[in-house]
Amino acid sequence: MSRAIYLDSRIWCLGIAETLVWAGMYYLFPALLVHWESDLGWSKTELTLAATCALLVSAVVAPKIGGLIDQDAGRWILTGCAALGGVLLLLLTQVQSYPVFFALWIGIGIAMGGCLYEPCFAFLTHRRGVQARSAITMITLMAGFAGTVAFPLCNWIAVSANWQAASGTMAVLILAVAVPLFWFGTRLRAGDVAFDSSAHHSSQGDVTKLRKSALRQTLSRPTYWLLAASFAVLGLNHAIVVTHLLPLLDERGISLASAVLAISLLGPMQVVGRIVMLLTERWIGVITLCGVIFVSIAVGGVFLGLAAVIPVLIYLFVLLQGASHGVVSILRPLVTAHLLGRTGFGTISGAVAVPFVAATALGPSAGSLIWRWGGYDLVVWALIALALIGLCCFGLAVRISARHPV
């Protein structure tokens, strides 16, 4: 990364803001799930349904939000959606009925769709073009610790006081810190221009038509569907891991202490992966690196399967799984721009995000269904198979794109 990125206060603002919205909106749910289950009296199935629907809603709104970012509304989208999420988290502290709880999480899903990684990276790509890579990497290095912030902080507050205080604390952090940081982090400076050059040569109506046309053309290309499928299976893979790793390790005779340590290392390993990418970006292209990621996740699945015999292999699995997934969040917008082009990038990036987020949302339920069919042995095989399927789809997408470049 260039020295200018480290000195760019806007990137620091966005990185801290992303850390807080990820901690407060995304990780709050798993952090407080046990407390809600015991205090509110609703079943785990009912509670997790709200989380699944919230993530699905964030996927549905992604293309529209991407289109607004293409129209230079990124500053208002990121700041406004962070504010919306903070307000809804405050309202969550007063919830007493399940329909209200469910409705609030649907609203939080909309907020997540407008202020988590995807819209932030679309904004950076729209504003910085190919120079967005270093900025995206820098932000994900900081935001990779969102789970490390959320889990201990929320549980400590919930135990010391109650879950309402934990939710309220995260709401205040978002409203008082993240919202202003988004506003300052997205400000323009002298000489800043949108990278999407079509915006400078056409009227707003013509630009909208051009972007809609670009999206239609993209959706008609096999490259889009193969690329979307490849990232979707990665999202499904990681969601299954995060939800089912503890019971899977328990079934394999891994001690609870070792299992908790392993799952707690997933977040830090994501940061490790991003640092490795940062150190090697001059020598390894995004396409090659993305291919390596699929192979690493498949190999990690093999280590997970062998952990019952050699327990120490669980840490190699966590290293490969965490580091690979951490890099995926950076590579997804970069690979999308490389294979599908940058015209109307926000809209196209949002379209690629839809199956990824949807698959991530369905991961917990999919893992349970596979477990019902064949236990956690079948789940491990499914994790390996998903990585290999993703590798095949990605390889075909790259090959077809090379034959039919944008």
Side-chain angles (χ1 to χ4, degrees), residues 214 218 221 223-225 227 335-343 345 348-349 352 401 406:
T218 298
R221 297 176 59 196
T223 301
Y224 162 77
W225 295 102
L227 187 63
V335 171
T336 299
H338 185 90
L339 296 183
L340 299 177
R342 291 185 171 85
T343 300
F345 176 78
I348 293 172
S349 178
V352 172
S401 178
V406 178

Side-chain angles (χ1 to χ4, degrees), residues 126-366:
H126 177 67
R127 279 291 165 195
R128 298 174 181 241
V130 294
Q131 297 178 359
R133 175 174 177 171
S134 295
I136 290 172
T137 303
M138 183 72 173
I139 289 170
T140 55
L141 287 176
M142 289 185 273
F145 290 99
T148 308
V149 171
F151 283 102
L153 179 60
C154 289
N155 276 284
W156 177 74
I157 295 174
V159 171
S160 302
N162 50 48
W163 68 263
Q164 290 91 340
S167 179
T169 299
M170 299 311 298
V172 170
L173 286 173
I174 290 174
L175 292 172
V177 183
V179 170
L181 288 179
F182 271 128
W183 185 254
F184 288 116
T186 53
R187 69 189 184 278
L188 294 178
R189 290 178 178 172
D192 284 348
V193 294
F195 187 80
D196 189 347
S197 59
S198 63
H200 302 286
H201 301 287
S202 307
S203 67
Q204 187 63 50
D206 290 339
V207 170
T208 301
K209 291 179 181 178
L210 285 171
R211 286 168 178 150
K212 288 182 178 179
S213 175
L215 179 59
R216 285 195 298 268
Q217 292 177 9
T218 298
L219 294 177
S220 68
R221 297 176 59 196
T223 301
Y224 162 77
W225 295 102
L226 289 167
L227 187 63
S230 66
F231 286 127
V233 296
L234 286 186
L236 182 61
N237 173 289
H238 195 66
I240 292 173
V241 167
V242 170
T243 306
H244 293 274
L245 186 57
L246 285 178
L248 186 152
L249 294 178
D250 179 66
E251 186 177 275
R252 277 160 168 66
I254 306 295
S255 69
L256 179 61
S258 297
V260 170
L261 174 61
I263 198 168
S264 67
L265 288 174
L266 279 174
M269 289 305 102
Q270 291 184 30
V271 177
V272 169
R274 291 160 187 167
I275 292 174
V276 171
M277 178 181 175
L278 174 64
L279 296 175
T280 60
E281 63 181 353
R282 293 184 180 180
W283 301 281
I284 303 179
V286 294
I287 299 300
T288 300
L289 183 58
C290 198
V292 170
I293 292 307
F294 286 100
V295 175
S296 297
I297 292 176
V299 173
V302 174
F303 288 149
L304 178 61
L306 295 173
V309 180
I310 311 174
V312 71
L313 291 179
I314 186 60
Y315 297 107
L316 289 178
F317 161 75
V318 168
L319 171 62
L320 293 175
Q321 180 77 21
S324 298
H325 187 72
V327 174
V328 167
S329 59
I330 303 175
L331 286 179
R332 190 150 47 90
L334 299 175
V335 171
T336 299
H338 185 90
L339 296 183
L340 299 177
R342 291 185 171 85
T343 300
F345 176 78
T347 304
I348 293 172
S349 178
V352 172
V354 169
F356 177 84
V357 178
T360 300
L362 296 173
S365 298

